[in-house]
Amino acid sequence: MGESTDGTDTRDRTDPRVRRARIAMAAVFAVHGAVTGTFATRVPWIQEHVGVSAGQLGLALAFPAIGASLTMPLAGRVGHRFGSRTALRALLALWCASLALPALSPGMLALCAALAVYGATSGLADVAMNALGVETEDRLGRSIMSGLHGMWSAGALAGSAAGTVAAHAGTDARVHLAVAAGVLVLLGSVVCRWVLDVRTGVAEHPPPRFALPPRSAVVIGAVGFCAVFAEGASLDWSAVYLRDVIGSGPGVAAACTTAFACTMAVARLAGDAAVRRFGPVRTVRTGGVLATAGGVLVVLADDPLPAVAGFGLLGLGIAVVVPLAFAAAGRSGPEPSQAIAGVATITYTSGLIAPAAIGQIANATSLVVSFALVTVLAAGLVAGAGVLRAPARDAALSRGAPAARH
């Protein structure tokens, strides 16, 4: 009675448990983002406490991405073994608890190890929650991934705001991060009670511990790479660009970075409506056009206003790409977690290399040339958007109808 012609149980769309799961997933993403935002505010304290130079700190900050990339393929196996709800609750708790580790590090080696653990738990929780987000989206029959990532951005902003208050008050980061970790562990454990509990059949073979991502994930990841490169470049270098290229004061330069981050958060929260109306491919292509126009504005600007507007358009244009890349990966083959892990690894790598690549290109040429490259990558979103199309997805999600469940 409840089966639609495409094999989806139409009762899922009105099942209150699925609606609660969607709210719970939004809270999970916000908790995950809050950890990142909290940590970012205490990096200066950690640097001073450990006694490392800027170069050593830069090296240490590469370890989260290294740890994440090495462990993300394991997330699917954990979910297969324990079920999605138990796996997510445990992995999210580990990620929140790891927030306390960097501030306890007595030296450089300990800091690198702590940040590797921090990144490893982040990546595992990231894959688990995105895979479960895709499953929740399928059961609701409408796009929610952009909004979930918007909640991640909102959580990051909330964490950074609280961290700024703690830093301004002179709170010891060991105390601040330990308290924040405890609160977030508790919040994460509570909200995970209402997420979906997806379990594979006992006869199904578990996914491999380590495996190369499927070809489909590599292609989808390439689109995500372009967006995350532009995001990392803009977040880390927009203020420097305003100061050094445009000649803006420190207040305007800092406001540009804040505006970029807020634009991305708002666009992600509103992005699901665009996906439902136009489908993921047209949404990303339109975003690519906006991001490319923003990059051109940045490169050609000789005044703060068009430069800030250009960075704002960049944020608006790339905001929904990563959520839709995860959603497409989750439907691209028989092993959603493996495909999502592959896309996550590619995007993490992009975020890791983008700030350094922009700096190296700027040293060899100029920051204008660096952002010309960002503009070219933004244009790549227009060309590559088609790979985000999944069977029966564009029409179903744009109509609000259920897509086939996998």
Side-chain angles (χ1 to χ4, degrees), residues 2-104:
E3 291 291 325
S4 69
T5 56
D6 65 0
T8 303
D9 190 340
T10 57
R11 291 171 296 185
D12 281 347
R13 287 179 290 163
T14 56
D15 188 337
R17 291 173 297 180
V18 179
R19 296 199 300 270
R20 284 197 300 268
R22 184 256 181 271
I23 296 171
M25 286 306 304
V28 166
F29 273 74
V31 168
H32 195 285
V35 176
T36 301
T38 301
F39 170 73
T41 61
R42 305 318 305 261
V43 169
W45 187 98
I46 293 170
Q47 179 185 10
E48 182 178 354
H49 173 72
V50 178
V52 295
S53 66
Q56 290 173 316
L57 178 64
L59 175 62
L61 290 176
F63 276 81
I66 295 171
S69 299
L70 290 175
T71 57
M72 280 188 291
L74 294 172
R77 196 174 182 90
V78 175
H80 181 277
R81 173 67 177 82
F82 298 103
S84 62
R85 181 185 296 159
T86 299
L88 180 58
R89 180 185 286 123
L91 295 175
L92 186 63
L94 288 172
W95 159 236
C96 294
S98 72
L99 175 62
L101 297 180
L104 301 176

Side-chain angles (χ1 to χ4, degrees), residues 124-136:
L124 286 166
D126 199 327
V127 172
M129 71 187 193
N130 275 285
L132 197 50
V134 172
E135 177 67 22
T136 306

Side-chain angles (χ1 to χ4, degrees), residues 355-394:
I358 292 296
Q360 291 300 318
I361 295 170
N363 284 336
T365 54
S366 68
L367 269 176
V368 174
V369 174
S370 295
F371 277 90
L373 172 62
V374 171
T375 305
V376 171
L377 291 177
L381 298 176
V382 181
V387 304
L388 302 183
R389 180 183 291 111
R393 173 173 167 79
D394 284 359

Side-chain angles (χ1 to χ4, degrees), residues 26 55 89 101 138 172 283 326 342 345 361 398:
R89 180 185 286 123
L101 297 180
D138 277 347
D172 189 305
T283 300
F326 281 128
T345 301
I361 295 170
S398 61

Side-chain angles (χ1 to χ4, degrees), residues 47-359:
Q47 179 185 10
E48 182 178 354
H49 173 72
V50 178
V52 295
S53 66
Q56 290 173 316
L57 178 64
L59 175 62
L61 290 176
F63 276 81
I66 295 171
S69 299
L70 290 175
T71 57
M72 280 188 291
L74 294 172
R77 196 174 182 90
V78 175
H80 181 277
R81 173 67 177 82
F82 298 103
S84 62
R85 181 185 296 159
T86 299
L88 180 58
R89 180 185 286 123
L91 295 175
L92 186 63
L94 288 172
W95 159 236
C96 294
S98 72
L99 175 62
L101 297 180
L104 301 176
S105 304
M108 177 66 177
L109 291 179
L111 178 61
C112 290
L115 290 174
V117 172
Y118 173 84
T121 54
S122 171
L124 286 166
D126 199 327
V127 172
M129 71 187 193
N130 275 285
L132 197 50
V134 172
E135 177 67 22
T136 306
E137 181 177 88
D138 277 347
R139 296 199 185 188
L140 282 171
R142 59 190 179 91
S143 175
I144 64 169
M145 288 299 290
S146 179
L148 293 181
H149 282 255
M151 288 302 297
W152 188 97
S153 297
L157 289 172
S160 63
T164 299
V165 171
H168 184 72
T171 305
D172 189 305
R174 291 168 293 192
V175 175
H176 168 219
L177 296 185
V179 171
V183 170
L184 292 171
V185 166
L186 179 60
L187 286 175
S189 297
V190 170
V191 299
C192 281
R193 292 177 58 189
W194 292 285
V195 303
L196 296 176
D197 192 15
V198 181
R199 293 180 178 271
T200 55
V202 293
E204 293 185 31
H205 293 291
R209 289 184 175 87
F210 291 97
L212 293 175
R215 183 179 301 175
S216 59
V218 174
V219 176
I220 293 168
V223 176
F225 181 97
C226 294
V228 174
F229 192 98
E231 179 182 355
S234 298
L235 282 173
D236 285 15
W237 287 95
S238 57
V240 178
Y241 192 97
L242 265 289
R243 183 193 65 193
D244 293 354
V245 177
I246 308 299
S248 302
V252 174
C256 180
T257 302
T258 302
F260 175 85
C262 290
T263 299
M264 284 200 65
V266 171
R268 281 179 170 171
L269 289 170
D272 288 319
V275 176
R276 293 169 200 154
R277 177 70 183 274
F278 303 109
V281 174
R282 289 176 63 189
T283 300
V284 170
R285 281 188 178 143
T286 302
V289 171
L290 292 174
T292 303
V296 171
L297 264 179
V298 169
V299 169
L300 298 180
D302 55 6
D303 188 75
L305 184 59
V308 172
F311 280 112
L313 282 174
L314 267 170
L316 183 65
I318 66 176
V320 301
V321 177
V322 171
L324 294 181
F326 281 128
R331 299 181 178 90
S332 64
E335 295 290 348
S337 293
Q338 184 180 339
I340 290 172
V343 170
T345 301
I346 293 170
T347 56
Y348 267 69
T349 301
S350 179
L352 173 64
I353 69 173
I358 292 296

